Amino acid sequence: MPSMKNAVGDDRRWWAVMPTLPAPAMAGIGQQMEQVGFEGCFSLQIYGAPFVPMAATAATTTTLKVGTGVAIAGTRSPLETAYCAMDVDRISNGRFVLGLGSSIKSCVTGMYGEPHRKSLSHLRETVKVVRYIVANAHIGLDPIEGEYFSADFEEMMITAPPVRDHIPIWIAALQDKMSELALEIGDGLMVHALWSADYTRSKKPFIDAALEKYGRERRDVEINAWPWIAVNADKQKAIDDSRATVAAYSGYKEYEPFFEAIGFGDEARSCQLALGEHGDVSSVVGNVSDDMVEAFVACGPVDEVLERIEPFWEVVDSLCPMTPYRDLTMEQMTEYNAGLYELVATAKARAA
């Protein structure tokens, strides 16, 4: 029997994704998460800033942590990011986690209209500036001259002290360079949904070596994974319902090196579409085999899914399971979300 502990010997922690809905619905979902025993929840940045739904969730819960999963660093000033983080941390009374990511060029430049920046150096600078502002805005800020952000702060008012002068910053990563940056400077590493359980386990030596390189202990960094999970007694139906999501992610040109490295390069290339066509993956969904779906999505009944995701716990401290979402109806997504609650409730009951 597994130990039912996480990678550092603590109780396993579960997070969830909070949809943006009318306030009463979000309040009910947040309170249900608390009852089930979730550690926290994240709001995604698809287009709108993820701080707003997290503030709404914080206002109607008492113990649930709230986080951005993720806030795209290149779509706003580090000053705004810092103050948004302090605002939600204040509203939640110290329950906020700032998840930051770089996203991909077609998103940052093609949709948000922001200039192209070097992802690693920009995110490194953003983390440094955000931490400086959070820790010092209430006592005064010295001018900053950075590669991407410069400000003199001459007209800036002194603001109230933050609830915490160090708000945890978790960095989202898919490939090695960004993962290493998170392990070097982050309070957390949020691994991409494409990190399957087996792939995550294979990265343990890399994680250990990076932490040693930067003189950090394993407990210095929360490692948080986001597995795709499709709970369904009809396993084939779960596989079929997950196929479009895998096709969509494998079709991003920026992700091709990752798929190549894990043996799905040809399949990923067969799913690539022109940028203007990427919103509709129906023409390439047939290029994703059942085996490829199962490489990235844990499909089937609760017991089978729990067995599939068990290897994550050798490496991670917390999991944020997600359902597939592309080309699903609201009814289907509701059913799969209910499956996640059943999964977490079952896992916590076994651990108890």
Side-chain angles (χ1 to χ4, degrees):
M1 288 289 291
S3 69
M4 296 299 176
K5 298 294 183 180
N6 64 14
V8 296
D10 293 338
D11 290 340
R12 297 175 175 184
R13 298 188 283 273
W14 297 87
W15 288 67
V17 175
M18 173 64 75
T20 301
L21 298 168
M26 291 179 67
I29 292 170
Q31 290 157 17
Q32 183 182 7
M33 289 177 183
E34 288 186 321
Q35 292 168 4
V36 172
F38 281 91
E39 176 81 2
C41 67
F42 293 108
S43 180
L44 309 177
Q45 178 168 353
I46 304 300
Y47 303 111
F51 303 97
V52 174
M54 288 297 87
T57 302
T60 57
T61 55
T62 56
T63 61
L64 193 72
K65 293 180 181 178
V66 292
T68 51
V70 297
I72 302 173
T75 63
R76 68 186 62 81
S77 161
L79 177 76
E80 182 180 0
T81 297
Y83 271 91
C84 286
M86 287 190 283
D87 286 347
V88 183
D89 204 45
R90 190 177 308 282
I91 292 167
S92 67
N93 197 26
R95 289 183 280 140
F96 180 65
V97 172
L98 175 59
L100 285 176
S102 61
S103 192
I104 56 179
K105 182 180 178 182
S106 60
C107 174
V108 176
T109 66
M111 290 191 291
Y112 286 95
E114 292 292 318
H116 177 62
R117 307 176 179 99
K118 295 179 181 178
S119 297
L120 286 168
S121 56
H122 178 257
L123 194 55
R124 180 187 292 276
E125 181 176 289
T126 297
V127 171
K128 181 180 180 180
V129 172
V130 168
R131 283 184 172 149
Y132 173 71
I133 292 171
V134 170
N136 294 282
H138 65 292
I139 57 176
L141 299 172
D142 294 326
I144 291 176
E145 290 289 339
E147 182 179 359
Y148 302 101
F149 176 78
S150 298
D152 59 27
F153 303 116
E154 288 183 356
E155 296 295 326
M156 192 165 177
M157 297 183 296
I158 298 296
T159 55
V163 173
R164 296 179 291 173
D165 60 11
H166 182 96
I167 294 172
I169 297 178
W170 295 6
I171 295 174
L174 172 61
Q175 302 193 64
D176 285 356
K177 289 184 178 180
M178 191 64 77
S179 300
E180 184 170 342
L181 180 70
L183 295 166
E184 177 192 356
I185 68 171
D187 301 296
L189 163 62
M190 307 164 77
V191 303
H192 199 284
L194 292 171
W195 282 42
S196 65
D198 289 340
Y199 182 79
T200 300
R201 184 165 54 179
S202 77
K203 300 303 290 184
K204 188 176 186 302
F206 167 84
I207 291 169
D208 293 341
L211 291 170
E212 183 177 4
K213 177 180 177 181
Y214 297 110
R216 305 192 74 186
E217 298 295 327
R218 174 60 183 80
R219 284 183 177 272
D220 293 340
V221 183
E222 171 104 4
I223 299 182
N224 170 255
W226 289 54
W228 276 316
I229 288 174
V231 173
N232 196 322
D234 184 342
K235 183 176 179 178
Q236 187 60 52
K237 183 68 165 58
I239 293 171
D240 293 338
D241 288 343
S242 303
R243 204 179 310 276
T245 297
V246 176
Y249 273 84
S250 60
Y252 286 112
K253 179 68 174 176
E254 290 94 331
Y255 294 165
E256 183 180 321
F258 175 84
F259 284 98
E260 189 72 61
I262 62 174
F264 287 104
D266 290 342
E267 291 89 340
R269 282 184 286 273
S270 74
C271 291
Q272 289 176 10
L273 294 163
L275 288 178
E277 301 172 341
H278 200 268
D280 179 8
V281 298
S282 58
S283 63
V284 297
V285 70
N287 297 333
V288 176
S289 67
D290 286 8
D291 286 344
M292 187 175 181
V293 172
E294 289 202 86
F296 300 106
V297 186
C299 300
V302 165
D303 287 343
E304 184 172 342
V305 169
L306 284 172
E307 183 177 351
R308 280 283 310 279
I309 65 175
E310 181 62 30
F312 274 113
W313 295 112
E314 298 176 26
V315 182
V316 308
D317 305 302
S318 55
L319 287 180
C320 179
M322 295 190 299
T323 66
Y325 64 96
R326 290 295 291 260
D327 295 353
L328 295 185
T329 66
M330 184 58 69
E331 181 181 5
Q332 287 174 306
M333 291 188 66
T334 299
E335 290 175 356
Y336 281 115
N337 274 315
L340 295 183
Y341 283 83
E342 180 185 359
L343 179 94
V344 173
T346 300
K348 292 190 75 67
R350 291 179 181 178

